[in-house]
Amino acid sequence: MAGRVSKVLSVAAVVVFGWYMFTMIRLVLQLFYPATHIPLIKPLPQVPKNTVMHRMAWRPPFEYDIRMYVSPLESFNDQTAFLNQSLLVWNIDAQRIEQRYPQFKAELKIDIPEKQQVLNSSGLFAFLFVQRAGELNLNDPLLAYARAPLMSIRERMVDRKHSLIEGDSETLESGVWVPHGKTRLSWEIVLEDNEFHAWMMPLDIVPLLRVRQSGKNKEYIPLLWENPLATREKHWVPLTNHSKVSSKQRLSGHMDVDVSLRGIGLGWLRLCNYVYHGLQELRSPRSLIQYSDSDIDSLKEMVFEVNPTMLAITMAAMALHMLFEFLAYKEDVSFWSSRSKEGLHGISKSSMVMGVVSAWISLLYMWDRRKETNVVVLAGAAVGAVVEAWKATKVLRLEDIWPLGRSKANANKEEPEGERAQVQREVDKQTGWWMTRVCMPLMAVYAAVSLVWQQHESYMSWLLSVSLVTVYSLEFIQMWPQLLINHRLRTVDMLPLTAFLYRFLTTFIDDLYALVVPMPLIERIGTLRDDLVFVVLCYQWLKFPKRKEKAD
């Protein structure tokens, strides 16, 4: 019965993975190739003849200028009033339309108007105009423009990390709303010459479109926007050093802004727009899973900071990671629940103890750093900690952890040890000697250095950080006793090899996963560290002959 349930779970996991991959491929095709017909996957209805088409209005040899203004006004309906109250901060002349994917960058020092400094106002905007080469004409029908806020009233984020020896050096109050300035503006423009049938225009880009009639067909102005995924919490900086803001306190006189404009494909714009609206849904009260601002920033970083190809590889790696991790946990539970006490001889008990301690300390550490840890990583750590604790109950007894719990009567009743139990006890004893004589003093020195020289939010954060580094260092030693037992017994029959195979695949996927998904640095090091141990284990699996165990 248990075997059938295990097979059903495996098939269900593979089916869910296949459905997920099919959905992702179909979504990518819809976003990047909206006018392409693919039978069964992305079918399109037959297009009638003489259908009205939408074409881009800019045609070679079109040349355009780029101008960015900073203004306290929210619109430019009156060109004269707008130019009188605005400041030109960026200008690029005479670019040819044949270059579909241009790249422009600048570091600007923008002066905050006197009125905004005195009133602590957040009404400051950046306007980007891309128009035909020549004098600025805000009434030009071929003008492409976009607007982005440069200031906002936001809650001050106070870093509570400080030296525990010297005391708290941060005097600013938290929970105070003050004016913030944006330090990053990422403009994007679509200069691809895409054509759409009038009734097949993608609805998600309609709010960004400006269309004009040109004979029988219609022409659209190139899509221009500020990518909302580019700006994260760290790109908003306070414009005042005061913990409380009043009309008597002036703001900083300027702010530094990194500005960029790049040409992109229509698929990338639609993908970013799709992800942005999805993230907005995760913030809404209607969402079943409430994501924090740090989780939203992590997802923004994962999407925006990589190219589309790398993003696709990352999404596939994440799906494979979850599939293999689920199968590994399933095989682990199936193996340990079906083996008797005698069948578990040869399992290193010291490795089991350190595995449980490491899993739970790692979980507590990531919970303490949950603002910078992805939800998926945190959930995986919680499941792993529970499974490790359950496995320990199958192998360990009280006297294995606490020698004083071992009575003389129980010692006299023990049966003579077999070969596996004897080797296991010898290796565990040797490992314990190395830990207590060498590793513990080194970890004590590290704890003292961390307390004196590094910054922490509290003594609990310091304790969790030191404990995690200690456990990871000792765990690297503790992962070798099982390999040594395998070598001396010339077998790996006592291990759940199917689960280790899935973990072997997951480990190398995690290498890519750890480089993309935000997580604490020590977790990244722990992920890369596992590669060496799994390589040695796979070598033992291939080298040692299979030994059939005697029936219980």
Side-chain angles (χ1 to χ4, degrees):
M1 183 65 182
R4 293 181 180 179
V5 173
S6 178
K7 290 181 180 179
V8 169
L9 290 176
S10 298
V11 172
V14 173
V15 169
V16 171
F17 170 77
W19 172 82
Y20 171 82
M21 293 303 298
F22 174 79
T23 304
M24 294 301 299
I25 292 173
R26 185 176 180 180
L27 176 63
V28 169
L29 292 176
Q30 289 176 342
L31 293 178
F32 284 81
Y33 307 99
T36 303
H37 172 74
I38 303 177
L40 300 179
I41 299 178
K42 186 179 169 295
L44 294 178
Q46 187 176 2
V47 180
K49 295 182 179 179
N50 301 323
T51 302
V52 176
M53 302 291 293
H54 287 82
R55 296 186 175 92
M56 192 174 74
W58 295 2
R59 296 286 174 179
F62 189 89
E63 292 187 351
Y64 59 90
D65 293 342
I66 302 169
R67 292 185 176 93
M68 192 178 98
Y69 286 84
V70 173
S71 174
L73 302 178
E74 297 186 22
S75 64
F76 54 91
N77 296 330
D78 187 341
Q79 178 172 337
T80 302
F82 176 82
L83 295 179
N84 289 336
Q85 299 185 52
S86 304
L87 178 65
L88 178 64
V89 295
W90 194 32
N91 183 31
I92 299 176
D93 295 326
Q95 300 297 315
R96 299 184 63 85
I97 189 63
E98 287 83 0
Q99 187 180 0
R100 302 292 181 178
Y101 306 100
Q103 299 278 345
F104 306 104
K105 293 183 179 180
E107 296 180 1
L108 305 180
K109 190 172 185 178
I110 298 177
D111 294 327
I112 300 177
E114 184 73 16
K115 183 178 180 180
Q116 272 67 27
Q117 293 184 40
V118 174
L119 299 180
N120 288 320
S121 172
S122 62
L124 191 64
F125 303 91
F127 290 85
L128 186 70
F129 301 106
V130 184
Q131 62 143 50
R132 74 178 86 199
E135 291 187 8
L136 178 65
N137 180 12
L138 300 183
N139 298 316
D140 187 352
L142 297 181
L143 174 69
Y145 63 88
R147 187 192 72 174
L150 280 176
M151 295 175 61
S152 174
I153 303 296
R154 308 171 71 88
E155 183 180 0
R156 179 194 292 277
M157 304 303 295
V158 179
D159 188 2
R160 291 304 181 188
K161 291 184 178 179
H162 59 279
S163 174
L164 298 178
I165 300 298
E166 297 178 359
D168 193 349
S169 59
E170 179 64 81
T171 58
L172 297 177
E173 299 179 15
S174 59
V176 178
W177 293 73
V178 298
H180 284 63
K182 185 184 293 185
T183 61
R184 185 180 194 181
L185 280 174
S186 296
W187 307 101
E188 294 177 340
I189 187 169
V190 180
L191 297 178
E192 294 179 340
D193 190 9
N194 297 298
E195 294 187 355
F196 304 98
H197 301 289
W199 49 275
M200 291 180 59
M201 178 71 69
L203 296 179
D204 54 309
I205 64 173
V206 170
L208 302 174
L209 274 179
R210 291 174 51 238
V211 181
R212 70 168 194 164
Q213 191 72 34
S214 177
K216 177 183 176 181
N217 296 316
K218 294 184 177 181
E219 295 179 340
Y220 63 89
I221 309 303
L223 301 174
L224 176 66
W225 77 334
E226 185 219 3
N227 195 321
L229 301 183
T231 306
R232 300 187 289 279
E233 290 295 329
K234 69 178 183 180
H235 297 123
W236 290 97
V237 297
L239 296 178
T240 174
N241 292 326
H242 304 283
S243 61
K244 294 183 179 180
V245 179
S246 67
S247 59
K248 298 180 180 180
Q249 297 168 344
R250 299 169 61 92
L251 299 181
S252 301
H254 67 274
M255 55 184 177
D256 299 323
V257 183
D258 294 330
V259 181
S260 66
L261 172 64
R262 63 172 181 167
I264 59 172
L266 178 63
W268 175 253
L269 182 142
R270 296 187 66 200
L271 175 63
C272 292
N273 191 38
Y274 178 85
V275 172
Y276 173 71
H277 285 93
L279 296 179
Q280 293 300 105
E281 286 294 325
L282 293 176
R283 279 179 170 174
S284 69
R286 299 171 298 176
S287 177
L288 294 177
I289 302 177
Q290 294 291 329
Y291 273 45
S292 64
D293 290 340
S294 60
D295 292 329
I296 298 296
D297 278 359
S298 298
L299 293 174
K300 284 184 177 181
E301 180 181 1
M302 187 176 66
V303 174
F304 182 78
E305 299 298 340
V306 299
N307 59 59
T309 303
M310 187 63 185
L311 179 62
I313 295 174
T314 302
M315 297 301 295
M318 290 176 62
L320 287 172
H321 170 89
M322 290 186 287
L323 173 65
F324 289 135
E325 190 170 33
F326 172 80
L327 293 176
Y329 282 134
K330 180 189 69 67
E331 292 295 334
D332 229 1
V333 172
S334 177
F335 173 85
W336 288 88
S337 61
S338 63
R339 299 297 287 266
S340 62
K341 289 285 186 180
E342 291 77 9
L344 295 175
H345 284 318
I347 300 293
S348 174
K349 294 183 179 181
S350 59
S351 295
M352 292 294 301
V353 172
M354 287 304 302
V356 174
V357 175
S358 172
W360 282 95
I361 291 181
S362 177
L363 175 61
L364 293 174
Y365 177 80
M366 282 190 284
W367 177 258
D368 185 62
R369 301 291 183 89
R370 55 189 178 276
K371 291 185 178 181
E372 56 187 84
T373 304
N374 188 268
V375 175
V376 177
V377 177
L378 188 60
V383 174
V386 173
V387 172
E388 288 294 331
W390 173 78
K391 285 162 55 177
T393 62
K394 304 287 291 184
V395 178
L396 300 176
R397 297 173 298 180
L398 178 61
E399 52 265 31
D400 294 325
I401 305 175
W402 188 254
L404 296 180
R406 188 179 193 180
S407 64
K408 294 183 178 180
N410 291 335
N412 295 330
K413 292 180 181 179
E414 289 186 352
E415 298 179 359
E417 292 183 337
E419 178 189 6
R420 292 189 175 189
Q422 185 177 1
V423 171
Q424 167 200 317
R425 188 175 295 278
E426 291 176 358
V427 172
D428 287 344
K429 184 178 179 181
Q430 183 180 7
T431 304
W433 186 93
W434 278 98
M435 285 195 304
T436 55
R437 303 299 195 281
V438 178
C439 297
M440 290 300 183
L442 292 177
M443 290 302 103
V445 173
Y446 171 79
V449 171
S450 176
L451 180 63
V452 174
W453 297 102
Q454 295 181 354
Q455 294 184 340
H456 305 275
E457 294 185 1
S458 63
Y459 280 100
M460 180 58 69
S461 297
W462 167 76
L463 181 61
L464 288 175
S465 176
V466 172
S467 299
L468 186 66
V469 173
T470 302
V471 168
Y472 273 8
S473 302
L474 298 180
E475 190 184 39
F476 186 72
I477 300 174
Q478 282 289 336
M479 294 174 78
W480 290 98
Q482 188 62 60
L483 301 179
L484 183 57
I485 292 174
N486 299 343
H487 177 74
R488 294 182 60 176
L489 294 176
R490 311 295 293 178
T491 182
V492 291
D493 287 345
M494 74 290 294
L495 299 177
L497 295 181
T498 306
F500 272 107
L501 175 61
Y502 290 132
R503 294 199 185 280
F504 176 76
L505 297 173
T506 305
T507 297
F508 288 99
I509 294 175
D510 284 349
D511 294 344
L512 175 64
Y513 191 71
L515 296 176
V516 179
V517 176
M519 62 177 66
L521 177 61
I522 191 65
E523 285 292 324
R524 298 181 190 270
I525 298 174
T527 299
L528 300 175
R529 172 214 64 193
D530 294 340
D531 293 349
L532 179 60
V533 176
F534 280 116
V535 167
V536 175
L537 179 61
C538 289
Y539 171 76
Q540 291 180 336
W541 181 29
L542 295 174
K543 180 180 179 181
F544 297 151
K546 301 295 181 181
R547 285 174 39 174
K548 295 182 179 180
E549 297 186 30
K550 295 181 180 180
D552 294 338

